[in-house]
Every structure is written in C-alpha cells, then in structure tokens.
Amino acid sequence: MKRFLDFGRKAMFYLRVLSGYEERRIRSYRLQLHNRLQQAQERKEALKRIPEQVILSEVRRMVEEMQALNKKLEETEAAIEDYFSPIDKEAEIIIKLQLEGEETRMREMMAAMQRKALLEQVEAERLANSQNKASEKQVQEPKGTSQIG
C-alpha cells in the first residue's frame, strides 16, 4: 500500500512537471523569495537611512529654533529701539544745547582772553613809553645842566 501511494505521488509529480504546473509553482516560489529578499534589503537600507534622517530632522529642528530665536531677538531689538527713540531724541537735543552752550562760553572766554591780552599789551606799551620818556628826560637833564654850568 505504501508503495502504491509512493507511485501515485511520483505519477502526480510527473504529471505536474509535464503540464508545467510545477514549473510555474517553482517560479512563483522563487519570485516570492526574490520579493522577500528585495523587501528585506529595502528595510535594511531604510534602517541605515533612519539615523541620517533623524540627524537631519534634528538639525532642521535646531535651525528652525535658531531662526525663531533670531526673529524674536530682532523683534525685541526693534521694540527696544522704538521705546528708547524718544529718549534718544531728547538726549540728542540736550547734548546739542550743551555743546552750543560750551561753544558760546568758549567764544566768550576767547574774546575775554583777547581783550585781556590787548589790555596787557597796551599797558606794556604805556610802561615802555613812560620808561623811554623817563630815560630821555634823564639823558636830556644832564645835557641841560652841563650847558648851564
């Protein structure tokens, strides 16, 4: 009986081989194996790419955070400038007034110094003239006394 079953199996196998069923089945099986291998390879490559993608996404996130922070800083700087612009204008006006006051004081001081220098020069000339006159008188007096005597 066992032999009969083995013979039946072999006969069925030959029949399937001759009809092409077995060949199609083998090709289908090979195709399935090939597809499985290809999918496994793709999964493997995807797993290799995941760290790169994670790193890239992390870098993108950090760049976005930095851009948001820069934007926030620029907005804060603009708000600070807007807040202090009236104060800056007032300070500028005050500084201009102080500089103008200093310039007028310096001009007045220069004029006063020039007047003082002119007065000193005039006084020095007077002293020089009076000394010249006194020396001329002394020179003339001995001549005048010698003529008399």
Side-chain angles (χ1 to χ4, degrees), residues 8-148:
R9 283 186 196 142
K10 283 184 184 181
M12 287 297 288
F13 177 75
Y14 288 128
L15 245 170
R16 283 186 295 190
V17 168
L18 289 176
S19 69
Y21 173 80
E22 196 65 28
E23 189 176 343
R24 285 189 303 258
R25 191 171 147 209
I26 291 170
R27 282 186 186 159
S28 172
Y29 183 72
R30 287 177 90 191
L31 186 63
Q32 279 182 343
L33 282 177
H34 179 71
N35 287 342
R36 283 184 190 170
L37 284 172
Q38 192 174 5
Q39 288 174 354
Q41 189 67 28
E42 288 172 2
R43 275 186 259 137
K44 212 176 186 185
E45 290 175 10
L47 287 175
K48 285 181 184 177
R49 275 187 252 129
I50 286 177
E52 293 173 7
Q53 291 172 348
V54 168
I55 291 170
L56 288 175
S57 65
E58 191 69 22
V59 168
R60 280 189 204 106
R61 186 184 59 79
M62 289 174 68
V63 166
E64 289 171 357
E65 286 177 3
M66 290 173 68
Q67 288 173 341
L69 183 64
N70 283 340
K71 186 176 180 183
K72 194 172 185 179
L73 282 173
E74 289 173 2
E75 290 172 356
T76 304
E77 286 176 358
I80 289 171
E81 287 177 11
D82 290 344
Y83 181 79
F84 284 112
S85 65
I87 297 170
D88 288 342
K89 289 178 183 175
E90 290 176 12
E92 189 175 322
I93 292 169
I94 291 170
I95 290 172
K96 283 182 181 178
L97 290 174
Q98 287 177 345
L99 287 174
E100 289 173 3
E102 286 179 16
E103 286 177 12
T104 54
R105 276 188 246 122
M106 284 178 61
R107 285 186 197 129
E108 290 172 1
M109 286 176 58
M110 289 295 289
M113 288 175 68
Q114 286 176 349
R115 275 188 247 124
K116 186 177 178 185
L118 284 173
L119 289 174
E120 287 176 358
Q121 186 179 8
V122 169
E123 187 66 32
E125 286 177 7
R126 282 185 196 161
L127 283 173
N129 285 339
S130 66
Q131 285 178 357
N132 283 342
K133 286 182 184 178
S135 64
E136 283 178 14
K137 282 184 182 179
Q138 285 178 354
V139 170
Q140 287 176 1
E141 281 179 17
K143 289 181 182 175
T145 52
S146 62
Q147 290 175 358
I148 297 177

